[in-house]
Coordinates of all heavy atoms in Angstrom, one line a residue:
I65 N 5.7 19.9 -11.6 CA 5.1 20.4 -10.3 C 5.0 21.9 -10.4 O 3.9 22.5 -10.1 CB 5.9 20.0 -9.1 CG1 5.9 18.5 -8.8 CG2 5.5 20.8 -7.9 CD1 6.9 18.0 -7.8
Y66 N 6.1 22.6 -10.8 CA 6.0 24.1 -10.8 C 5.1 24.6 -11.9 O 4.4 25.6 -11.8 CB 7.4 24.6 -11.0 CG 8.3 24.6 -9.8 CD1 9.4 23.8 -9.7 CD2 7.9 25.3 -8.6 CE1 10.2 23.8 -8.6 CE2 8.6 25.2 -7.5 CZ 9.8 24.5 -7.4 OH 10.5 24.4 -6.3
F67 N 5.0 23.9 -13.0 CA 4.1 24.2 -14.1 C 2.6 24.2 -13.6 O 1.9 25.1 -13.8 CB 4.3 23.3 -15.3 CG 3.5 23.6 -16.5 CD1 3.2 24.9 -16.9 CD2 3.0 22.6 -17.3 CE1 2.4 25.2 -18.0 CE2 2.2 22.8 -18.4 CZ 1.9 24.1 -18.8
Q68 N 2.3 23.1 -12.9 CA 0.9 23.0 -12.4 C 0.6 24.1 -11.3 O -0.5 24.5 -11.2 CB 0.7 21.6 -11.8 CG 0.6 20.6 -12.8 CD 0.0 19.3 -12.3 OE1 0.0 19.0 -11.1 NE2 -0.6 18.5 -13.2
K69 N 1.7 24.5 -10.6 CA 1.5 25.6 -9.6 C 1.5 27.0 -10.3 O 1.4 28.0 -9.6 CB 2.6 25.5 -8.6 CG 2.6 24.2 -7.7 CD 3.8 24.1 -6.8 CE 3.8 25.1 -5.7 NZ 3.7 24.7 -4.4
K70 N 1.7 27.0 -11.6 CA 1.9 28.2 -12.4 C 3.1 29.1 -11.9 O 3.1 30.3 -12.1 CB 0.6 29.1 -12.3 CG -0.6 28.3 -12.9 CD -1.8 29.2 -13.0 CE -3.1 28.6 -13.5 NZ -3.2 27.5 -14.3
D71 N 4.1 28.4 -11.4 CA 5.4 29.1 -11.1 C 6.2 28.8 -12.3 O 7.1 27.9 -12.3 CB 6.0 28.4 -9.8 CG 7.3 29.0 -9.4 OD1 7.9 29.8 -10.2 OD2 7.8 28.7 -8.3
Y72 N 6.0 29.7 -13.3 CA 6.6 29.5 -14.6 C 8.1 29.6 -14.6 O 8.8 29.0 -15.4 CB 6.0 30.3 -15.7 CG 4.5 30.0 -15.8 CD1 3.5 31.0 -15.8 CD2 4.0 28.7 -16.0 CE1 2.2 30.7 -15.9 CE2 2.7 28.4 -16.2 CZ 1.8 29.4 -16.1 OH 0.4 29.2 -16.3
A73 N 8.6 30.5 -13.8 CA 10.1 30.7 -13.7 C 10.8 29.5 -13.3 O 11.8 29.0 -13.9 CB 10.4 31.9 -12.8
N74 N 10.3 28.8 -12.2 CA 10.9 27.6 -11.8 C 10.6 26.4 -12.7 O 11.5 25.6 -12.9 CB 10.5 27.2 -10.3 CG 11.3 27.9 -9.3 OD1 12.5 28.0 -9.4 ND2 10.7 28.5 -8.3
A75 N 9.4 26.4 -13.3 CA 9.1 25.4 -14.3 C 10.1 25.5 -15.5 O 10.6 24.4 -15.9 CB 7.7 25.6 -14.7
L76 N 10.3 26.7 -16.0 CA 11.3 26.8 -17.1 C 12.7 26.4 -16.7 O 13.4 25.8 -17.5 CB 11.3 28.2 -17.6 CG 10.2 28.6 -18.6 CD1 10.2 30.1 -18.9 CD2 10.3 27.8 -19.8
K77 N 13.1 26.8 -15.5 CA 14.4 26.4 -15.0 C 14.6 24.9 -15.0 O 15.6 24.4 -15.6 CB 14.6 26.9 -13.5 CG 15.8 26.4 -12.8 CD 15.8 26.9 -11.4 CE 16.8 26.1 -10.6 NZ 16.8 26.5 -9.1
Y78 N 13.7 24.2 -14.5 CA 13.8 22.7 -14.5 C 13.6 22.1 -15.9 O 14.1 21.0 -16.2 CB 12.9 22.1 -13.4 CG 13.5 22.4 -12.0 CD1 12.9 23.3 -11.2 CD2 14.7 21.8 -11.6 CE1 13.5 23.6 -10.0 CE2 15.3 22.1 -10.4 CZ 14.7 23.0 -9.6 OH 15.2 23.3 -8.4
A79 N 12.7 22.7 -16.7 CA 12.5 22.2 -18.0 C 13.8 22.3 -18.8 O 14.2 21.5 -19.6 CB 11.4 22.9 -18.7
D80 N 14.5 23.5 -18.6 CA 15.8 23.7 -19.3 C 16.8 22.6 -18.9 O 17.6 22.1 -19.7 CB 16.3 25.1 -19.1 CG 15.6 26.1 -19.9 OD1 15.0 25.8 -21.0 OD2 15.6 27.3 -19.5
L81 N 16.9 22.4 -17.6 CA 17.8 21.3 -17.1 C 17.4 20.0 -17.6 O 18.3 19.2 -17.9 CB 17.8 21.4 -15.5 CG 18.4 22.6 -14.9 CD1 18.2 22.7 -13.4 CD2 19.9 22.6 -15.2
Y82 N 16.1 19.7 -17.7 CA 15.7 18.4 -18.3 C 16.1 18.3 -19.7 O 16.6 17.3 -20.1 CB 14.1 18.4 -18.2 CG 13.4 17.2 -18.8 CD1 13.9 16.0 -18.8 CD2 12.1 17.4 -19.3 CE1 13.2 14.9 -19.3 CE2 11.4 16.4 -19.8 CZ 12.0 15.1 -19.8 OH 11.3 14.1 -20.3
A83 N 16.0 19.4 -20.5 CA 16.5 19.4 -21.9 C 18.0 19.2 -22.0 O 18.4 18.5 -22.9 CB 16.1 20.7 -22.6
I84 N 18.7 19.7 -21.1 CA 20.2 19.5 -21.1 C 20.6 18.1 -20.9 O 21.5 17.6 -21.5 CB 20.9 20.4 -20.0 CG1 20.8 21.9 -20.4 CG2 22.3 20.0 -19.8 CD1 21.2 22.9 -19.3
T85 N 19.8 17.4 -20.0 CA 20.1 16.0 -19.7 C 19.6 15.0 -20.8 O 20.1 13.9 -20.9 CB 19.6 15.5 -18.4 OG1 18.1 15.7 -18.4 CG2 20.2 16.3 -17.2
T86 N 18.8 15.5 -21.7 CA 18.2 14.7 -22.8 C 18.1 15.5 -24.1 O 17.1 15.7 -24.6 CB 16.8 14.1 -22.4 OG1 16.0 15.2 -22.1 CG2 16.9 13.2 -21.3
P87 N 19.3 15.9 -24.6 CA 19.3 16.9 -25.7 C 18.7 16.3 -27.0 O 18.2 17.1 -27.9 CB 20.8 17.2 -25.9 CG 21.5 16.0 -25.3 CD 20.6 15.5 -24.2
E88 N 18.6 15.0 -27.2 CA 18.0 14.5 -28.4 C 16.6 14.1 -28.3 O 16.0 13.6 -29.3 CB 18.8 13.2 -28.8 CG 19.9 13.5 -29.9 CD 21.2 13.7 -29.2 OE1 21.7 12.7 -28.7 OE2 21.7 14.8 -29.2
E89 N 16.0 14.4 -27.2 CA 14.6 14.0 -27.0 C 13.7 15.2 -27.1 O 14.0 16.3 -26.6 CB 14.4 13.3 -25.6 CG 15.0 12.0 -25.6 CD 14.7 11.2 -24.3 OE1 13.7 11.5 -23.6 OE2 15.5 10.4 -23.9
F90 N 12.5 15.0 -27.7 CA 11.6 16.1 -27.9 C 10.8 16.5 -26.6 O 10.4 17.6 -26.4 CB 10.6 15.8 -29.0 CG 9.6 16.9 -29.3 CD1 10.0 18.1 -29.8 CD2 8.3 16.6 -29.0 CE1 9.0 19.1 -30.0 CE2 7.3 17.6 -29.3 CZ 7.7 18.9 -29.7
Q91 N 10.5 15.5 -25.8 CA 9.6 15.7 -24.6 C 10.0 17.0 -23.8 O 9.2 17.7 -23.4 CB 9.6 14.5 -23.7 CG 8.6 14.6 -22.6 CD 7.2 14.9 -23.0 OE1 6.7 14.4 -24.1 NE2 6.5 15.7 -22.2
P92 N 11.3 17.2 -23.5 CA 11.7 18.4 -22.7 C 11.4 19.7 -23.4 O 11.0 20.7 -22.8 CB 13.2 18.3 -22.4 CG 13.5 16.9 -22.8 CD 12.5 16.3 -23.7
I93 N 11.5 19.7 -24.7 CA 11.2 20.9 -25.5 C 9.7 21.1 -25.6 O 9.3 22.2 -25.5 CB 11.8 20.7 -27.0 CG1 13.3 20.5 -26.9 CG2 11.4 21.9 -27.8 CD1 14.1 21.5 -26.2

Side-chain angles (χ1 to χ4, degrees):
I65 291 169
Y66 284 119
F67 183 37
Q68 287 197 336
K69 294 172 71 119
K70 298 185 185 335
D71 180 347
Y72 299 128
N74 275 316
L76 277 174
K77 171 186 165 183
Y78 288 106
D80 283 338
L81 291 168
Y82 177 32
I84 289 168
T85 60
T86 56
E88 263 96 70
E89 292 185 26
F90 178 67
Q91 186 57 36
I93 302 305

